Amino acid sequence: MKQLFYILIAAVSVLFSGCQKLATREQYSLDARFKSVFGFPSTSSWVYYLSSDTRVKENVTIKNKLEGKMRFDNLEQEFISYELHSDKDSVQLIRCMATGENTARWSLLYKDSFYRQVAELYYSSSLFSGIMGNGDTVTYLQNLSVGDVMYYNVVELKSARKKIYNRLYFAENTGIVRKDYTNGKVFLLKSFRY
């Protein structure tokens, strides 16, 4: 009978210690501003055109979108991941991860024979910046004219790696509005839909 009592006490202790761990789990979420730049529905698509020859068009669609929360012991991180499929370019993988309270990380991986990272952003308290150590830089533009559309509060990412892109330009509720490739080509956003 005494053994049963000790087993019952041990089971209750384990139960309460497990509940305590759940209660103290840190939860990191992607905020609304971050999602307005990178969190698009799986039905989204963009049409770009080559700035030097407007007859050359590129159609990009989202495929294989995943979103949710990753859980590790006492940590829960919200994430978004999707592929950008182009009719002119290689598949690109976008990864977004909440890394702390009001912080997140965005990565662009480009597929050649395998995926390789070509651009990365850090996000903290509603501001984007390059990742320390990789040399990418971020500039904020009050506005940017792309074709006949004016975009406001644009984030310009200048890649130090220059593997695929020299610069990418992002606008809220739109995504990438301009892509400057290392080969000199510039693709401008013509239209998009959710």
Side-chain angles (χ1 to χ4, degrees):
M1 186 72 167
K2 219 175 194 181
Q3 282 182 327
L4 181 60
F5 177 74
Y6 288 127
I7 291 172
L8 184 60
I9 294 293
V12 170
S13 296
V14 168
L15 177 66
F16 281 116
S17 68
C19 291
Q20 185 178 8
K21 277 186 180 178
L22 290 176
T24 59
R25 177 177 278 168
E26 291 185 63
Q27 297 181 354
Y28 300 145
S29 299
L30 298 169
D31 75 13
R33 175 145 193 255
F34 185 90
K35 287 181 177 179
S36 76
V37 179
F38 301 115
F40 298 103
S42 56
T43 56
S44 301
S45 64
W46 297 261
V47 176
Y48 297 90
Y49 66 90
L50 184 62
S51 64
S52 60
D53 184 354
T54 58
R55 294 173 297 173
V56 177
K57 302 230 183 307
E58 177 189 25
N59 295 294
V60 177
T61 57
I62 287 182
K63 293 192 179 176
N64 302 320
K65 182 176 180 186
L66 298 170
E67 60 185 317
K69 297 184 180 188
M70 295 176 67
R71 293 174 180 88
F72 307 97
D73 294 331
N74 66 340
L75 179 63
E76 184 176 281
Q77 296 172 278
E78 185 178 7
F79 73 91
I80 301 171
S81 175
Y82 51 85
E83 294 174 350
L84 295 175
H85 285 251
S86 166
D87 60 356
K88 294 269 187 261
D89 204 349
S90 182
V91 173
Q92 297 173 53
L93 176 63
I94 302 290
R95 289 185 178 163
C96 306
M97 175 72 72
T99 56
E101 191 172 326
N102 299 320
T103 64
R105 204 167 183 151
W106 171 90
S107 299
L108 171 65
L109 292 89
Y110 190 89
K111 187 173 184 180
D112 288 332
S113 53
F114 57 91
Y115 282 107
R116 62 183 170 143
Q117 188 171 323
V118 296
E120 196 172 20
L121 283 171
Y122 180 71
Y123 178 80
S124 179
S125 301
S126 296
L127 295 174
F128 291 97
S129 64
I131 302 291
M132 193 168 297
N134 72 9
D136 293 352
T137 58
V138 169
T139 304
Y140 283 90
L141 307 173
Q142 276 189 330
N143 54 59
L144 177 69
S145 178
V146 176
D148 57 355
V149 178
M150 184 67 71
Y151 294 96
Y152 297 94
N153 303 317
V154 173
V155 175
E156 174 191 25
L157 173 63
K158 183 178 179 185
S159 175
R161 291 166 264 190
K162 300 189 187 291
K163 292 180 180 175
I164 305 297
Y165 299 108
N166 282 328
R167 287 183 172 84
L168 292 169
Y169 299 84
F170 305 91
E172 290 182 23
N173 303 311
T174 308
I176 299 171
V177 297
R178 177 176 165 163
K179 303 184 283 187
D180 295 8
Y181 286 84
T182 55
N183 64 9
K185 291 182 180 179
V186 174
F187 275 84
L188 305 173
L189 183 65
K190 175 74 173 166
S191 62
F192 67 95
R193 70 175 178 84
Y194 298 115

